[in-house]
């Protein structure tokens, strides 16, 4: 009988079924029910440990998207990319360096929010003081407050209108499906505004160098070759890295 190779989606589905079956076999051998749900105090739904593990593993696949769209990471990496283009550099600093720097700067700026999530949701859940779903609701509160503080009102109004949902009584009642795209749009707007201000001094240097070369009749020489050392010297003299990072941190109220 001829064997047909599995495609990517079929392979993932097959591995998921095998993993679920293996977990079910282990749970059955140990005498632990796999898929059960109980109703706790206050009507909260509590799932068994295997189901909680599956939910956590599924949530981890969304972690990169949540990091980019629900934190300050998008604004930081866009500003860094525009700064590199303004300097006229192609591959220095490399993408890996910029992403690593943006990641740690994101943790620095988001530390108060992460501390609140750890104190109000994660630690009580690990100590068994609250179910998983209640911990998720508690963790959403500081993250929602951070996003609402950085989101423009016109962006919120735009996505409220596009969602065709009844207008909420307060901003705290706004669904995350509306808040997240509005927050991401506001972050990109702010990042491009900062990038525009970064471009201005370097663009002036390019114009001056191009005018001097044209006046000297050196038409065949690229102005970027001459202006790049001057732009690097200016960036180092004004301590550009510290200035940009300080501006990004100050834009979030730090």
């Amino acid at each position: 009988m001829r064997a047909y190779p599995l495609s990517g989606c079929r392979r993932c589905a097959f591995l998921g079924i095998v993993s679920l079956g293996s977990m079910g076999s282990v749970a059955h051998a140990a005498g632990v029910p796999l898929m059960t749900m109980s109703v706790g105090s206050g009507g909260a739904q509590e799932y068994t440990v295997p189901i909680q593990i599956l939910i956590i593993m599924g949530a981890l696949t969304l972690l990169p998207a949540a990091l980019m769209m629900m934190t300050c990471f998008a604004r930081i990496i866009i500003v860094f990319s525009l700064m590199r283009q303004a300097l006229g550099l192609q591959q220095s600093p490399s993408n890996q360096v910029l992403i690593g720097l943006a990641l740690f700067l994101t943790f620095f700026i988001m530390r108060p929010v992460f501390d609140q999530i750890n104190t109000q949701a994660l630690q009580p859940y690990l100590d068994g003081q609250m179910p998983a779903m209640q911990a998720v609701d508690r963790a959403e509160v500081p993250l929602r407050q951070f996003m609402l503080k950085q989101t423009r009102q016109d962006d919120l109004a735009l996505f409220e209108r596009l969602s065709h949902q009844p207008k909420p009584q307060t901003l705290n009642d706004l669904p995350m499906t509306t808040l997240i795209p509005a927050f991401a749009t506001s972050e990109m707007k702010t990042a491009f505004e900062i990038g525009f201000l970064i471009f201005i001094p370097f663009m002036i240097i390019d114009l001056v160098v191009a005018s001097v070369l044209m006046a000297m009749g050196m038409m065949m020489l690229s102005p970027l070759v001459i202006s790049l050392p001057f732009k690097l010297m200016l960036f180092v003299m004004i301590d550009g890295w510290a200035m940009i990072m300080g501006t990004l941190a100050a834009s979030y109220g730090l």
Side-chain angles (χ1 to χ4, degrees):
M1 183 175 61
R2 184 180 180 183
Y4 293 92
L6 293 175
S7 62
C9 296
R10 292 181 179 178
R11 188 181 296 112
C12 294
F14 176 74
L15 291 176
I17 294 173
V18 171
S19 301
L20 187 59
S22 301
M23 188 178 293
S25 301
V26 173
H28 179 72
V32 179
L34 177 62
M35 295 185 181
T36 60
M37 181 187 69
S38 60
V39 180
S41 59
Q45 297 178 351
E46 299 179 3
Y47 299 91
T48 56
V49 174
I51 294 299
Q52 294 183 18
I53 293 175
L54 287 177
I55 294 174
I56 293 174
M57 291 176 63
L60 287 177
T61 60
L62 301 176
L63 186 60
L67 178 64
M68 289 187 292
M69 294 292 101
M70 300 174 66
T71 64
C72 56
F73 180 83
R75 181 189 300 187
I76 295 171
I77 195 63
I78 291 174
V79 170
F80 284 168
S81 178
L82 292 175
M83 179 207 66
R84 185 172 63 179
Q85 294 182 19
L87 285 171
L89 301 173
Q90 299 299 325
Q91 298 296 331
S92 182
S94 63
N95 292 331
Q96 292 84 354
V97 173
L98 291 183
I99 291 174
L101 187 59
L103 187 62
F104 282 102
L105 189 57
T106 298
F107 289 148
F108 174 77
I109 295 175
M110 298 291 296
R111 185 181 61 179
V113 179
F114 291 155
D115 288 343
Q116 292 182 22
I117 293 175
N118 180 61
T119 303
Q120 301 175 9
L122 182 59
Q123 291 301 324
Y125 170 71
L126 295 178
D127 295 338
Q129 299 177 4
M130 65 176 60
M133 298 308 298
Q134 185 179 357
V136 172
D137 294 337
R138 289 279 187 89
E140 182 183 312
V141 174
L143 196 58
R144 175 188 292 271
Q145 292 176 352
F146 169 79
M147 289 192 292
L148 284 174
K149 186 178 179 181
Q150 303 298 328
T151 306
R152 304 166 189 258
Q153 295 297 323
D154 53 347
D155 293 329
L156 279 176
L158 170 64
F159 285 97
E160 282 182 12
R161 186 173 66 254
L162 294 177
S163 65
H164 301 290
Q165 297 288 335
K167 189 173 183 179
Q169 298 292 334
T170 61
L171 291 178
N172 292 327
D173 299 330
L174 195 69
M176 294 295 286
T177 53
T178 302
L179 177 58
I180 292 175
F183 170 76
T185 304
S186 297
E187 287 291 284
M188 288 188 290
K189 286 182 180 179
T190 305
F192 277 95
E193 289 176 356
I194 298 175
F196 171 75
L197 296 177
I198 293 174
F199 260 91
I200 291 177
F202 300 116
M203 184 176 61
I204 293 175
I205 294 178
D206 287 334
L207 291 175
V208 171
V209 171
S211 301
V212 172
L213 291 178
M214 186 174 296
M216 297 174 61
M218 305 175 67
M219 304 291 186
M220 304 301 296
L221 183 61
S222 175
L224 295 178
V225 177
I226 306 300
S227 63
L228 180 58
F230 291 99
K231 290 190 288 188
L232 290 177
M233 182 180 64
L234 174 64
F235 190 73
V236 171
M237 289 179 59
I238 65 175
D239 198 3
W241 284 109
M243 183 177 295
I244 289 176
M245 293 183 186
T247 301
L248 287 170
S251 66
Y252 288 99
L254 296 183

